[in-house]
Amino acid sequence: MTSHSERLTFARELAERAGKLGMEFFRKLDSLTIENKGHQDLVSEADREVELFVRREIAKTYPDDGVIGEEHAPTKGSTGYDWVIDPIDGTANFVRGIPAWCVVIACAKDGVTVTGVIHEPSTGETFYGEKGGGAFLNGRPIKTTMSNSLGDGSLGIGFSNRRETTAVPALIKDLLARGGVFYRNASGALMLAYVASGRLLGYIENHMNAWDCIAGILLVEEAGGRVITPDPATVLERGTVVVVGGAEIFDDIFALCAETFGLTPK
């Protein structure tokens, strides 16, 4: 077993344990403390407590690795490995009782993602993969869509308060004109997992933080899809643009958002 495989097994088990803790908070939403970090940007005590739990478990098993999370300051490591975690992706759903949220745990080596796990506690689904080792859902291999038409399914579209959103309606209008439909469930990581498993044609967002996207990008690539590869030198600190999709539909997805996102045409 490689060191990456060991880390993947550890991350899978930890994500599922963290999901159980998250569900304890989810079942008592009436007593949950919730704060507003900005426009449509919420954080709850559940986010903070689940992240602290994950950090403690990582420190026990991999004390020399770095840790980067959404809710607490990063911890520098000495091994070149960094754990990148989002304790509850989809907090807006979580705090309103909508069961579409997930625990995300990725591990990167020198900025390159080597393992990724996305666990959705409400459904008991765990999406996971290792660089060069494929992508899986609860033990079964998964593949991205083989469709070559935007009219064959839904395209996930995300947006955040970190980038200008005025172009999003025009992008959606263009997608509809091409016979497609859009999908958004307020959890970018979960939508990336749905791309990896063939449920969505693809997913696009002008900017995502590393803890929201690097696990899902790895899963899409390992499931046979195509992606814009994040820059290892900057992705952990600055995040990245996200464009992913099935191999046959990726070019159409890229063309749809290239101008809006300021991407160099392929």
Side-chain angles (χ1 to χ4, degrees), residues 4 34 53 61-62 97 118 140 148 170 179 188 200 205 219 257 262:
H4 295 170
I34 302 165
F53 166 75
T61 306
Y62 297 102
I118 299 172
R140 304 185 308 275
N148 61 3
L200 294 176
E205 186 165 345
L219 295 184
C257 63

Side-chain angles (χ1 to χ4, degrees), residues 12-250:
R12 283 178 57 196
E13 295 173 350
L14 179 56
E16 291 173 2
R17 292 168 62 201
K20 290 180 180 178
L21 177 59
M23 284 298 292
E24 293 179 12
F25 286 101
F26 191 63
R27 294 189 183 104
K28 55 180 183 180
L29 290 177
D30 290 346
S31 62
L32 205 62
T33 301
I34 302 165
E35 299 174 22
N36 194 327
K37 295 192 292 184
H39 178 64
Q40 293 291 320
D41 191 5
L42 304 173
V43 62
S44 72
E45 63 182 299
D47 295 82
R48 295 192 173 107
E49 290 302 317
V50 174
E51 181 168 322
L52 286 173
F53 166 75
V54 172
R55 283 173 173 267
R56 285 194 297 268
E57 295 305 305
I58 291 172
K60 290 178 186 176
T61 306
Y62 297 102
D64 298 322
D65 289 358
V67 182
I68 300 168
E70 181 172 14
E71 306 303 340
H72 297 276
T75 301
K76 290 189 177 296
S78 59
T79 63
Y81 285 99
D82 288 290
W83 294 92
V84 185
I85 57 179
D86 192 340
I88 298 175
D89 185 60
T91 299
N93 291 335
F94 183 94
V95 301
R96 296 181 176 98
I98 300 172
W101 54 274
C102 57
V103 178
V104 187
I105 302 178
C107 188
K109 179 70 165 68
D110 299 323
V112 176
T113 311
V114 293
T115 66
V117 178
I118 299 172
H119 172 60
E120 186 179 19
S122 298
T123 61
E125 292 188 324
T126 305
F127 305 82
Y128 59 93
E130 176 185 352
K131 189 170 182 63
F136 302 85
L137 166 57
N138 291 355
R140 304 185 308 275
I142 53 177
K143 294 294 182 183
T144 55
T145 182
M146 295 302 294
S147 173
N148 61 3
S149 170
L150 290 170
D152 284 347
S154 300
L155 177 66
I157 297 179
F159 51 88
S160 74
N161 57 12
R162 295 180 299 275
R163 292 291 186 273
E164 181 59 60
T165 60
T166 54
V168 174
L171 193 155
I172 292 174
K173 182 179 179 181
D174 191 11
L175 172 64
L176 296 176
R178 299 187 189 199
V181 293
F182 71 94
Y183 176 88
R184 184 175 187 270
N185 71 358
S187 170
L190 204 50
M191 286 188 278
L192 286 168
Y194 289 176
V195 177
S197 55
R199 299 174 184 177
L200 294 176
L201 299 176
Y203 182 75
I204 58 176
E205 186 165 345
N206 202 359
H207 177 270
M208 295 181 76
N209 289 315
W211 48 78
D212 293 324
C213 70
I214 64 170
I217 292 173
L218 173 69
L219 295 184
V220 172
E221 197 162 30
E222 289 300 321
R226 293 169 60 192
V227 308
I228 290 182
T229 303
D231 183 348
T234 61
V235 63
L236 299 188
E237 181 179 350
R238 303 179 196 170
T240 184
V241 64
V242 176
V243 181
V244 305
E248 300 299 320
I249 194 67
F250 179 83

